[in-house]
Amino acid sequence: MLQEVLQPAAMLLKSPRLWTAAATFVASVASASEAYFQPNSTGIKIQNGFERVYIQPFGNHGIRVRASLMRDPTGNEWSTLMDPPIEGPGGNAGLSHDTTISYMGNATIRNGNLVAQVSFGTVSFFRVEPNDSLTLLTSEFTDTKARVPRSYVQNFVSSSFEATFDFSSDADEQFYGAGQQACCKDNSVNKKGQVVDLINWNSHVTMPVYMSNKGYLQFFNMGSQGRLEFGTIRTRYVASEATVVDYWITAAQPGDYDALQQQFTGVTGRQPTPPDFILGYQQSKLRYWNQTQVLDVAQRFHDEQVNVSLIVIDFFNWKFQGDWSFDPEFWPDPASMVTQVRELTGAQLMVSLWPSVEDLSVNYMDLQTEGLLVTTRDGTGITDSFDGVYTRLVDSTNPDGREFLWRQLNESYFSIGIKNFWIDQADGGTLGEPWENNGQDINMLPYARAFAQYFIGTQEGSGKLYPWFHQQAIDEGFQNLTDFNSANSNNSATMSLDSVSSSLNDPTSFAASNQRFTPFTSCPQMSLTRSTFIGGQRFCSYLWSGDTQSRFDVILQQITAGVSVAASGISSWTLDIGGFMGLNIDTDEGKELFVRWFAMGVFLPYMRVHGTRSCNLPTPSTPSVANPCPNEPWSYGEANFVILKKYIALRYQLVPYVKKLFEMLHETGRTIMRPLYHDFTLSDPFVVNATKVNDPSVVHQFMLGPRILIAPVGEQGVTTKEVYLPVLPQNLVDQGFSWTHWWSEQDMGTGGKFVNVSAGLDEIPVFFLGTKEDIFSGNI
């Protein structure tokens, strides 16, 4: 047995000396036991000339590795890890270690069922199996003439450097996660063979984290731009700029992705449970541009007796970018509007905020004077433009900037009862597109990002954290309300901000900032965001997939986007039902497309309609970026309105089930929108093999929690669909579960076959386990 376990490692390491060291190590590891194996070391330090590497236990079955040049890490670098972790050992340990070795030294450390082995400078990670054997998960990549696995390019203008870290992978290994890739061509769940750009833009929210089907998860705890390369035998992480390379790895049994997510969210944070109302139907469009339009829509929902939980006021409700307040010309009495909408529908309102600030904003001089705007290396601070106006960004990475932003939001919106915020365009560096000069006569300049300089660092070194801090700004505002209960009521609430600066304005340590900021367990209100980063799940916030195209094939592409970001720890996710752009509501194709997308939206963590629509109405000359085309359920024809009302009613029946899923997510990190490999890897080889090649018959289906399988229709004009039903695990079969067709309630057996079912506009292919009564009651 020992020989079988070590032979793959020896082949990989290609060194008799490493083979000997590994054998010695295995002999020294204590037998696995039912009790959790507490760390046998506080840490290892590798002193390699100018390089320092720290290896420490952190979280359940987790190891944290930090590497730096010329000097030790401070221990206070920007980090999204929670220190101490929610679950497991480690935390508040700084750089503590009890073993120091040289470059050619050997050492081991074990935490739970994960072992880190250093042999002659190479770091390898093993899982301890139930029979006490070891399985190699990955190691720093070595070969006779390979590039060294930890390599750096020093920028001598500063202490930062570009870093390249290489790890071994098997040729048939599968990788899941890496965040959300841009609309609309990526249809992959398995990322093997891909290069993933680590930079934020509209719909592109990639993250340096991935799960392997071998049973491990690896996360690079860095806000740097860069890339992930999932090669045939090597996985490479590149950080464009860093002062410390910081990564974390954890292990579980193959197929137990819930365990990996529990351990991962145990160190990065858990999603607070959202308020009940946000789980209902959300109505939005680009855009309701005055108070009368919002009230007319609310009146129509009331008259049609259609449930709605949230109505959204999109961008340019302000006069100038950076005002963060209503333009009184179009919004003369917003407080009265809030009251009337609530009386008519019971719905709450959400308002859009952008990070952009133009010179004419009432807040521009104060922000500039206080140094609360993102600057650039040449000092101008201009990072982009929109609607013909050059703009700067508010620096939400600065605690004073977050306080300033929240003061305006509180005074303009929260204090009158608008308590939910839409964080749009806050991707960082520019106003969100992968080019500059948006909205100018000469636009789409081929620069992915301006050379922005934040309070916390550069765009290259920390730009991926910018939207994360925007989310934190809203949560800090929620947390500093004078009366928490008033934040959940219909009454106005004011801020107690006198002490906010002293509590948030210590920039010496991001880790200390994380300790001061205590995440909610349940959310009083919510923010919607177009971008985020690892750890964003601990905010009262949900991500949507950005400005997607309105096409049938994109419906299916959004499934792969949703399950990939869920595999990255972000289950609080939704999309623009109907797609953002390209749908004409006056065409048969547009109407069919909307209904198909709407049907899938019923079964997402949040059901949200949004988009800019085309129609046969003339576009008004004023105000700017107004769109006269409707986007409400009654806008797509009378016959379709009947179907859409049916789907809305079904969504409200499902709210107890969705609420239960969010409770499970909060308690254990259990993923909500689940790819089929998540639940059926161990029971169904077809799912494994189909996922490997990103077969649409598998990757274009998903589970909503443990009981509902959804197979959306992504073709025009079809009336039936072939759906693959996975083989159920034996424990579910033993409990009497089988697949049941949602609409006919026909028993379809225990899976392992394709079935052809009706797929009319009013019957999205859906299957369930158990009973509808249990689902509707949230009894799972």
Side-chain angles (χ1 to χ4, degrees), residues 1 31-34 110 113 127-135 253-254:
M1 180 185 302
S31 298
S33 63
E34 293 183 2
R110 177 177 173 184
N113 288 331
R127 180 179 55 242
V128 181
E129 304 294 356
N131 64 1
D132 298 338
S133 66
L134 293 177
T135 298
Q253 287 298 307

Side-chain angles (χ1 to χ4, degrees), residues 570-597:
I570 309 292
S571 272
S572 192
W573 182 87
T574 189
L575 45 67
D576 288 349
I577 289 177
F580 177 73
M581 52 190 173
L583 190 154
N584 189 320
I585 70 169
D586 290 327
T587 65
D588 290 341
E589 178 183 356
K591 293 173 182 177
E592 181 182 347
L593 175 63
F594 184 82
V595 177
R596 289 298 191 193
W597 213 312

Side-chain angles (χ1 to χ4, degrees), residues 4 100 129 145 157 226 244 356 420 533 569 659:
E4 292 174 356
T100 300
E129 304 294 356
K145 295 295 183 181
V157 175
V244 174
S356 50
N420 306 284
F533 192 65
K659 181 178 179 180

